[in-house]
Amino acid sequence: MSRAPITKAGSERLRAELERLKTVERPRIIAAVAEARAHGDLKENAEYHAAREQHGFNEGRIAELEAGLSTAEVIDVTRLAAGSRVVFGATVDLEDEDSGDAVTYQIVGDLEADIKQRLIAVSSPIARALIGKSEGDSFEFTAPNGVKHYEITGVRYE
């Protein structure tokens, strides 16, 4: 079985989240469950059910992070010598050839992907289209809203 790649920064960020979930969120939620339980009848106790649901989500995320981090291969992208070629960990500047809009993404492991922070999963369609290309190349990929045409205007490893 191959190990899923994760960037060093992503690993550190997810380990910090795991620590917070275990040492801050877990005790807070357990206290909320206990307090809600003290209010009596559990069948019609919305606070109790909400706290139990929160507990389930928190424990699920802890399990997901522990499993993912235990098998991940941490890669220090600053040590990759790929030059202007796009490989895992690359930060890529793109220009939409139709609109002229510029956007920057970093290709990261599936566990650490977060589109709001412009961190795209290595398994995503756009990342798969980028891998192996170089600065100056143009490519197209099919997005949910149609085919997009991009030029790679920059590739760096930071």
Side-chain angles (χ1 to χ4, degrees):
M1 180 181 111
S2 68
R3 297 171 57 184
I6 188 169
T7 65
K8 187 170 182 247
S11 172
E12 290 166 1
R13 192 174 63 254
L14 293 176
R15 286 186 192 288
E17 178 186 350
L18 179 60
E19 185 65 19
R20 182 183 57 76
L21 292 175
K22 286 176 148 182
T23 62
V24 177
E25 292 302 313
R26 183 184 271 164
R28 182 189 63 74
I29 293 168
I30 289 171
V33 168
E35 183 181 328
R37 184 178 277 145
H39 292 173
D41 185 11
L42 298 183
K43 278 188 186 137
E44 296 177 18
N45 187 333
E47 289 169 359
Y48 173 76
H49 292 290
R52 292 287 303 157
E53 190 172 302
Q54 233 183 355
H55 179 70
F57 282 129
N58 193 62
E59 294 304 311
R61 181 66 176 157
I62 287 171
E64 177 186 25
L65 288 174
E66 284 179 339
L69 289 168
S70 71
T71 60
E73 180 180 354
V74 178
I75 297 172
D76 182 351
V77 299
T78 62
R79 298 175 149 233
L80 295 176
S84 67
R85 215 168 114 257
V86 178
V87 299
F88 174 85
T91 298
V92 185
D93 300 318
L94 303 174
E95 184 177 306
D96 185 319
E97 293 181 332
D98 301 318
S99 69
D101 293 343
V103 66
T104 300
Y105 293 116
Q106 183 181 18
I107 300 172
V108 299
D110 293 349
L111 187 63
E112 63 185 310
D114 182 350
I115 193 65
K116 290 184 207 105
Q117 294 185 45
R118 303 263 183 229
L119 302 172
I120 58 171
V122 67
S123 63
S124 68
I126 190 168
R128 288 198 312 264
L130 280 164
I131 298 287
K133 304 270 189 310
S134 296
E135 191 171 319
D137 287 351
S138 291
F139 71 99
E140 67 177 44
F141 86 103
T142 305
N145 57 351
V147 176
K148 297 283 191 181
H149 300 89
Y150 285 106
E151 179 185 345
I152 301 170
T153 57
V155 177
R156 59 193 179 283
Y157 295 87
E158 50 191 28

